[in-house]
Amino acid sequence: MTDNHPELSGYEPSDNYRPLRGKHFATVLRVVVVFGLIALVVPGVLTTVRVASDTAANTCATAVAQYYPSAVDFDARFDLAGPGGFGWQCYAIDDNERATFVTPLGIIPSAPRQLPPGTPT
């Protein structure tokens, strides 16, 4: 190999190196990229939370109707340390507004299903 490079003929490097774009442009570009990533991630997270909440409510309504038919209402909530552990929990509400734990629904609740009578959850 030779050190002769005709495409570099006439080029003389200078000591006053300057970046291609300024600091202000780089800062603006970083802010735009961060907002773009947030705009991509947040709708997916919100949709996932909404679907999990609706599924937990439907599953809890089914479980309360089966195991506590005299309950006046139900409550599906996400607990960090509930009676069923970490995740969605189902509670039946009676006439005196007391909450009775029904069943754990898990971190990702499943679709409601009808169980045969006498089958434990």
Side-chain angles (χ1 to χ4, degrees):
M1 226 198 267
T2 170
D3 288 336
N4 186 10
H5 300 285
E7 63 273 2
L8 297 177
S9 63
Y11 172 74
E12 294 192 20
S14 62
D15 290 338
N16 57 356
Y17 172 74
R18 209 178 98 210
L20 189 58
R21 294 187 172 84
K23 291 180 182 180
H24 179 68
F25 181 79
T27 303
V28 169
L29 189 61
R30 286 184 184 126
V31 168
V32 168
V33 166
V34 167
F35 281 136
L37 287 173
I38 289 171
L40 286 172
V41 171
V42 169
V45 169
L46 293 177
T47 300
T48 302
V49 168
R50 176 62 190 237
V51 168
S53 175
D54 289 345
T55 304
N58 291 337
T59 305
C60 187
T62 302
V64 168
Q66 181 172 359
Y67 296 116
Y68 291 93
S70 62
V72 294
D73 200 8
F74 65 91
D75 186 20
R77 61 182 106 138
F78 191 86
D79 289 336
L80 295 177
F86 178 74
W88 291 93
Q89 312 297 325
C90 179
Y91 297 91
I93 310 294
D94 64 4
D95 291 331
N96 297 325
E97 296 183 5
R98 289 181 302 212
T100 304
F101 177 72
V102 178
T103 184
L105 303 175
I107 296 173
I108 301 172
S110 63
R113 57 191 164 99
Q114 189 68 29
L115 297 174
T119 304
T121 57

